[in-house]
Amino acid sequence: LVESQRVQRARRDCMERTIPYWTGVIEAEAIESGRSVLVASSENAIRGLLMHLLGIPSGRIAEIEIPTGLPLLFDPESCRLSLLEGSVDAHNFGKGGAELLFGCIPA
């Protein structure tokens, strides 16, 4: 397999484990009870989770760079992502990352 196919397969395999846990345990037991949840995981798991939560098409997920160690906040009520502090412009989220993750195009 070429590299992109391997990466896509790995992400798909990761999503097959991550998304059911998110919906069956984290959403059902924590978020619906109003509790906050901290998720720290591999890049593939985070990408897959963001695809699921934000409706990012699989063909565009490669445009996103997720800075290591940068806390991202997801609001399930508004279905929006935000930064814990600072501005989107201060970080490199990749070619289409700011638009796909935050619904904005950095200046």
Side-chain angles (χ1 to χ4, degrees):
L1 295 174
V2 296
E3 184 65 26
S4 64
Q5 289 174 322
R6 269 187 260 148
V7 169
Q8 289 172 0
R9 179 176 287 165
R11 185 171 43 249
R12 184 179 60 244
D13 291 347
C14 191
M15 288 178 72
E16 288 173 0
R17 294 183 308 273
T18 305
I19 303 308
Y21 188 78
W22 175 266
T23 57
V25 177
I26 296 174
E27 275 184 342
E29 296 179 15
I31 294 176
E32 290 178 7
S33 300
R35 297 188 316 213
S36 296
V37 176
L38 172 67
V39 176
S41 190
S42 70
E43 183 177 4
N44 260 347
I46 296 294
R47 284 176 182 269
L49 188 55
L50 290 173
M51 285 174 61
H52 171 75
L53 295 174
L54 301 173
I56 297 171
S58 61
R60 294 203 59 200
I61 195 67
E63 297 175 27
I64 295 174
E65 295 293 329
I66 302 169
T68 302
L70 180 67
L72 303 173
L73 302 174
F74 176 72
D75 179 355
E77 289 183 19
S78 66
C79 195
R80 301 275 314 200
L81 200 63
S82 63
L83 296 178
L84 184 60
E85 60 183 36
S87 75
V88 173
D89 295 343
H91 303 280
N92 176 16
F93 290 100
K95 178 182 171 187
E99 174 189 2
L100 292 168
L101 294 173
F102 303 98
C104 63
I105 300 172

